[in-house]
Amino acid sequence: MPGWLKPLLLLCCLLPATGWAEEVIEAYTVGLQVERDGYLQVVERITVQAEGEQIRRGIYRDIPTRYSLGNGLERRTPIQMLEVTRDGQGEPFHSEALGAGIRYYLGSANHELEPGRYTYQLRYRIDAQLLHREGEDELYWNATGNGWSFPIQAASVQVQLPEGARIGDVMGYTGYGGDSGSDYREERREGNRLVLRTTRVLQPGEGFTVAVDWQAGLVERPGMGQRI
């Protein structure tokens, strides 16, 4: 083979690999801790592959905080963002109202990311809006949201209930808003802890929702005044 042909062949091999790189969420790990006052402590770890396309200075996360109750009534859900990091270091962020929720922008307008892998972590506390029925309480939570414009290769959710809780029925839902796909598996159930994991790639706009119930009496229920 002529010597001048070898570098050309090497270049041909490298170019397609560069073109195949795409922006994805490689891993989306969510920790949910139900507190006795009915609030939820949430930790989200989002590992992304950035290529300077949509992920240039950071990412954003949409969290719903307003829900229609019908008859012109609306419920507003308090949320407190406690910490945001990128690769273990504090990350600047700001928020703005967006439709029925809040959009959190993670990153700085003055800093452009190099292509590569980054792990963002959000830690926040929110009124979980638990469902209360006679004899049982339920957490129903869209763990990833459905607002992502790139695929989620793998998602997992760990639920920690109050001490003494006995996990009852468990359901997971994958797909677009309103879908009831079952592309997940129960990976671990031990005492008051539960881990669920998706079994396929979630496409842009798809999400992962979990529902878990346990016996009543461990979480404070809102009084009549609060419900009104």
Side-chain angles (χ1 to χ4, degrees):
M1 178 184 296
W4 61 267
L5 188 55
K6 292 181 180 179
L8 181 60
L9 289 176
L10 178 61
L11 180 62
C12 290
C13 291
L14 292 177
L15 284 177
T18 303
W20 289 337
E22 63 174 336
E23 292 185 330
V24 298
I25 296 177
E26 295 183 351
Y28 202 127
T29 304
V30 181
L32 305 175
Q33 180 176 343
V34 179
E35 300 180 337
R36 290 188 177 273
D37 61 3
Y39 273 70
L40 190 65
Q41 287 268 8
V42 183
V43 177
E44 300 184 9
R45 288 177 58 86
I46 308 168
T47 299
V48 302
Q49 176 65 37
E51 294 295 334
E53 298 173 5
Q54 297 183 70
I55 307 176
R56 298 180 59 191
R57 293 174 173 83
I59 62 174
Y60 61 79
R61 172 71 164 103
D62 295 339
I63 301 176
T65 57
R66 289 166 32 205
Y67 303 85
S68 174
L69 301 177
N71 299 319
L73 298 177
E74 178 181 82
R75 172 166 179 164
R76 300 195 176 193
T77 303
I79 182 173
Q80 179 185 11
M81 185 62 68
L82 302 174
E83 182 184 45
V84 174
T85 64
R86 174 169 58 85
D87 296 336
Q89 302 297 316
E91 181 77 348
F93 69 93
H94 69 278
S95 64
E96 65 178 34
L98 178 73
I102 297 177
R103 172 169 289 181
Y104 288 95
Y105 291 91
L106 285 55
S108 171
N110 301 319
H111 177 71
E112 190 161 328
L113 299 173
E114 295 289 334
R117 179 183 293 109
Y118 300 94
T119 297
Y120 291 87
Q121 178 168 295
L122 301 83
R123 184 168 63 88
Y124 57 94
R125 187 170 187 265
I126 189 169
D127 182 349
Q129 300 186 88
L130 301 178
L131 304 175
H132 302 292
R133 295 184 291 270
E134 185 176 355
E136 66 182 19
D137 295 321
E138 180 183 342
L139 170 67
Y140 183 92
W141 193 256
N142 187 334
T144 62
N146 289 78
W148 298 101
S149 56
F150 24 79
I152 301 174
Q153 293 182 334
S156 64
V157 180
Q158 176 177 294
V159 180
Q160 179 176 335
L161 302 177
E163 194 67 32
R166 298 185 302 274
I167 297 172
D169 291 333
V170 175
M171 292 295 295
Y173 306 97
T174 54
Y176 301 103
D179 285 355
S180 55
S182 57
D183 302 296
Y184 74 97
R185 69 175 183 270
E186 185 175 315
E187 195 164 82
R188 186 169 71 251
R189 183 190 296 213
E190 182 178 349
N192 63 336
R193 296 173 183 263
L194 173 76
V195 177
L196 304 177
R197 188 178 301 275
T198 56
T199 56
R200 70 167 176 86
V201 174
L202 300 177
Q203 298 302 318
E206 291 189 313
F208 184 31
T209 296
V210 299
V212 184
D213 67 40
W214 63 96
Q215 79 274 22
L218 300 178
V219 174
E220 297 175 11
R221 295 193 172 193
M224 179 62 72
Q226 290 174 292
R227 291 199 299 270
I228 293 176

